[in-house]
Amino acid sequence: MGKFEKLVYLGPCSDSSSLLKILRAVTNKLPLDPGVRLDHVVSQLPARLTGADLKAVASDAFYAALRETVQSIESGISDASTARVVVTESHLLHAADAATSSVSSEQLKQYEAYNSQLGVEL
């Protein structure tokens, strides 16, 4: 049986550069509109988001785009054989607006206190 030799702390992103890198990674395989400005989306995100929170934002945006495409087909506006799901900046901004951090302020303080007890610098 193995043992844990290292403690790794991955807290919420604290700067826009890190958020942008993670958002790029989680939207990498989504059919994004070429005009999407991920840096603008990042500027609208709430504080203390984790990578999982950003993945949820991307998923919510994709499903909103999917619903729009299905509605467009069902209403006869688009043809099912040519319709494409495209995630727009608007989809991402709406998802960002609804996003909440999965880590509360209290939890973050507890994690930081635990890390400082172990002598780990954040």
Side-chain angles (χ1 to χ4, degrees), residues 15-16 23 25 37 47 55 61-62 64-65 73 82 94 97 112 118:
D15 63 277
S16 60
L23 189 59
R37 299 168 299 158
K55 178 67 176 172
F62 174 77
I73 293 168
T82 58
H94 285 295
D97 188 47
E112 289 171 347
L118 296 173

Side-chain angles (χ1 to χ4, degrees), residues 4-100:
F4 292 108
E5 293 182 18
K6 294 185 182 199
L7 174 69
V8 178
Y9 174 76
L10 299 174
C13 298
S14 58
D15 63 277
S16 60
S17 175
S18 297
L19 284 168
L20 182 57
K21 287 177 185 176
I22 294 171
L23 189 59
R24 278 191 183 128
V26 299
T27 59
N28 186 37
K29 296 194 181 202
L30 292 183
L32 290 182
D33 181 82
V36 171
R37 299 168 299 158
L38 291 178
D39 57 333
H40 178 66
V41 175
V42 165
S43 72
Q44 303 303 309
L45 291 169
R48 294 188 326 272
L49 292 184
T50 64
D53 298 330
L54 290 172
K55 178 67 176 172
V57 167
S59 294
D60 290 349
F62 174 77
Y63 285 114
L66 179 62
R67 280 190 298 277
E68 279 184 15
T69 304
V70 169
Q71 289 171 351
S72 177
I73 293 168
E74 289 176 343
S75 65
I77 296 171
S78 298
D79 183 70
S81 64
T82 58
R84 286 187 345 117
V85 177
V86 178
V87 178
T88 65
E89 188 169 326
S90 177
H91 294 126
L92 286 163
L93 289 171
H94 285 295
D97 188 47
T100 57

Side-chain angles (χ1 to χ4, degrees), residues 9 12 46-50 53 100-114 122:
Y9 174 76
R48 294 188 326 272
L49 292 184
T50 64
D53 298 330
T100 57
S101 176
S102 58
V103 178
S104 71
S105 296
E106 294 77 30
Q107 289 171 321
L108 185 57
K109 287 177 188 174
Q110 288 175 341
Y111 295 145
E112 289 171 347
Y114 180 69
L122 301 178

